[in-house]
Amino acid sequence: MGGVGAERRPDGGAPGVVIVGGGQAGIQLADSLRTEGYNGPIDVFATEAHLPYQRPPLSKDFLGTADDPSALPLRAEKFFAERDITFHRGVSVTGVDAATRLITSSAGDVLGYAALVLATGARNRQLAIDGAELEGVHYLRTLDDATALRVELERARTALVVGGGFIGLEFAASASQRGVAVTVLERGERIMGRVLSEPMSQHFSQLHGDASVAIRLGEGIARLTGVDGHVTGGVGTSGALYAADLVVVGIGVEPNVELGRMAGVGVSNGIEVDSYLRTSDPFVYAIGDCCSYPNAHTGTITRLESVQNAVDQAKVLAKTLTGQPTEYVELPWFWSQQGADKLQIAGIVDVAGDPVLRGDPACGKFSVFCFRGDHLLGVESVNNTADHLAARRILSHHLPLTVAQAADPLFDLKAYSRAA
Amino acid sequence: MPSITYVHPNGDEQVIEVVPGTSVMRAAVTNGVDGIVGECGGQAMCATCHVYVRDEFLAALAPMNDDEEEMLEETAAPRDEERSRLGCQLKMGSRLESIVVDLPSMQVEE
Ligand SMILES: Cc1cc2nc3c(=O)[nH]c(=O)nc-3n(C[C@H](O)[C@H](O)[C@H](O)COP(=O)(O)OP(=O)(O)OC[C@H]3O[C@@H](n4cnc5c(N)ncnc54)[C@H](O)[C@@H]3O)c2cc1C
Ligand code: FES
């Protein structure tokens, strides 16, 4: 694998790197390519017309009353000019021809590429039930979504959240702090059940309950009801009625894979890449929420939705594209802020594995070490950055840790993790 | 308006005026002050907003919480026991009308 080649592009110049998507992954890649010394053309296409911004605050501080209501940018406006990056703001890539290595855009551009990087992210899965189209039914992915929600929160009294995942629960905590009566419907047996261990999910159920968020488990949404086109509530799959003047749907996302299909590369749950983030076409790559890759820590194919994953994949790909082929093996980590409580996850938790408690949940600061047999896979910590950081070191360096050590509050985890 | 002075390792200074409540990290990212990354959006998760606060402003700072304390051990440039803080945890306003911070030589390990 060489670096980025030098052939002609339609405007006469040599083709460079074309990045599709101005999110966390795409912008980091543009930045890292320059840091790694690449000085050819970089074109970033971004459907959203905003200056690229960070998504995590949108379901947290941004929905509160205290903070500055402006989005937190990923980079300052002048970044693109300073780094000589052509930023196609508000312009989508609409076509890819892998044979001639050309993309077309919604603005009519036709541009050749030496490397095409799909960093297209994901979009919200939509509810397909009666009433889904009513006003007052919201999703939360983009700055526009969050701005609309922020406005509605000014007058909402009751909110119904469909889906007990991270985004729904972060919203629930923020809305409840503003005095809105929130009910969360979760179809599964426990909240965040796809990603958290049983004890951690129980703990968060209790925290939300203490904050007066009502959680209904084993309850899906059957339909939404409205008056004059505006939502007034919903009917659960159990037949129960829930009044609400605001509905937030958080039932997961679907990766944006269309351009991968057009390029003729492998697509399943995401655009398929190898450990170098290469698709089946040698000139096409994919990073961030839109790609599924062989995860060195789980030994499975995973598609992650996290800042760490987007940023680290971009950094690794920048190396490969500048002639230093590098495999993506970074340890996944993640956080979620729900009200006053901070959840931090290192590694990937096996929800069906063997959870080991470290510390006492009742004191609000503890961790769950998630083993499968005697093999540590992931660690969840609440309000305990020390454990989280130690876990990151232990997992990244594959340090052995026994169940007894993890459970023993006198075992000095931090010192042990630093011995690596 | 509160003002933040960022001093780069080469001695260059950038002064930015902000509305009260703005953090040292947010002001830097919004205005493109090189040397502050803010990867986690201010959640004390990434330690890429590390700054060294000049001595005369230390007394006016809000105390550190446990998260910040732990995160500061992860900074790419060496931690200074007295002066190192996370820029995202330093909010300008009432008690902190102005501040001068030195930027570390790096925020991310290479
Ligand atoms: C509300 C919310 C809260 C979150 N909280 C956390 C958190 O606490 N911690 C954490 O680690 N992660 C969190 N995440 C996840 C994290 O934000 C994502 O994993 C990350 O943004 C992924 O980056 P990305 O660049 O892959 O995708 P995105 O950020 O989605 O960016 C992709 C961009 O590509 C654009 N695009 C798509 N197709 C095209 C096209 N054809 N042409 C041009 N542009 C196109 C899209 O419009 C989009 O702007 C949160 C996400 C949301 C929505
Ligand atoms: S912005 Fe991540 S720790 Fe401050």
Side-chain angles (χ1 to χ4, degrees), chain A residues 20-26 45-48 53-60 91-94 119-122 140-142 167 170 256 259 287-290 304-308 310 333-337:
Chain A
V20 190
Q24 197 99 39
F45 287 85
T47 302
E48 292 182 74
Y53 59 88
Q54 308 202 18
R55 296 190 196 283
L58 297 181
S59 48
K60 308 178 183 78
V91 180
S92 299
V93 170
T94 48
T120 49
L140 182 46
R141 173 94 196 163
T142 64
I167 290 183
E170 288 183 357
N256 292 324
L259 295 180
I287 52 175
D289 282 14
C290 72
L304 298 182
E305 295 153 19
S306 74
V307 167
Q308 173 279 324
W333 54 264
F334 182 78
W335 77 94
S336 171
Q337 180 80 37

Side-chain angles (χ1 to χ4, degrees), chain A residues 54 342 344 385 393 418, chain B residues 41 43 45 67 70 73-74:
Chain A
Q54 308 202 18
K342 181 193 264 181
Q344 297 165 300
T385 301
R393 283 188 289 266
R418 285 192 176 280
Chain B
Q43 297 278 316
M45 276 298 288
D67 290 343
E70 293 295 335
E73 294 189 18
E74 305 300 311

